[in-house]
Amino acid sequence: MFELTVREEFAAAHQLRGYEGACENLHGHNWQVEVSVRGKELNEIGILLDFKELKRALREVVAELDHRFLNEHPAFGKENPSSENLARYIYQRLCEKLSGHPVKVSRVTVCETERACATYLPD
Ligand SMILES: Nc1nc2c(c(=O)[nH]1)N=C([C@H](O)[C@H](O)COP(=O)(O)OP(=O)(O)OP(=O)(O)O)CN2
Ligand SMILES: [Zn+2]
């Protein structure tokens, strides 16, 4: 089994509805996103999935979030744009984009800061 990992970042604002504290107020983060995919079969030149393709897919997903007020994004109309929900959303969008490739998304980590991260791991 092989695992590839790529990273991206985006800047966005959010507020956590129902949070008892300052995080209920509008504020922003420079979010860091780390994504890993797994697969068993390498192609004829020894590649599981071209990093270029993986980075492109992640950039496309991140572009939908960058410089947005995340609470107004359709995915977060009801669910809070917490790091946990963002990680799951990015996982779901990446699965769609990578469906034609011989890999499975194995984890998505979203960090609000260097010291606070949430990871979504599919069952
Ligand atoms: N499990 C989660 N907890 C919190 C989330 C989250 O998405 N998942 N989000 C927040 C807020 O977004 C807040 O902006 C972050 O709060 P915090 O990490 O406390 O940020 P501080 O800079 O204030 O951290 P300190 O280390 O306490 O200074 C809150 N929790
Ligand atoms: Zn926050």
Side-chain angles (χ1 to χ4, degrees):
M1 181 72 77
F2 299 94
E3 186 172 68
L4 309 180
T5 299
V6 296
R7 301 185 183 93
E8 257 308 326
E9 58 189 34
F10 66 98
H14 75 161
Q15 58 186 133
L16 293 182
R17 295 172 286 248
Y19 186 96
E20 292 185 9
C23 301
E24 191 173 22
N25 301 330
L26 177 62
H27 64 281
H29 298 284
N30 290 316
W31 309 80
Q32 307 285 326
V33 183
E34 182 177 285
V35 166
S36 299
V37 299
R38 285 185 184 182
K40 287 186 177 167
E41 303 298 332
L42 303 187
N43 68 12
E44 62 284 359
I45 63 164
I47 280 178
L48 178 65
L49 171 65
D50 192 334
F51 282 129
K52 284 181 186 294
E53 294 210 37
L54 183 52
K55 285 188 282 187
R56 182 171 58 209
L58 179 55
R59 282 190 194 122
E60 286 173 4
V61 174
V62 161
E64 298 167 10
L65 306 171
D66 193 32
H67 285 74
R68 296 277 299 256
F69 174 36
L70 297 174
N71 295 65
E72 292 180 346
H73 187 286
F76 304 109
K78 290 185 180 150
E79 287 188 335
N80 260 334
S82 63
S83 295
E84 289 91 330
N85 282 333
L86 278 163
R88 183 173 53 191
Y89 173 73
I90 292 168
Y91 165 83
Q92 290 165 342
R93 294 288 291 123
L94 276 175
C95 287
E96 292 166 13
K97 288 188 178 289
L98 296 173
S99 62
H101 296 281
V103 293
K104 297 277 184 206
V105 182
S106 52
R107 64 169 59 219
V108 175
T109 296
V110 170
C111 298
E112 294 191 344
T113 69
E114 285 181 355
R115 295 172 289 126
C117 303
T119 298
Y120 181 74
L121 300 163
D123 289 335

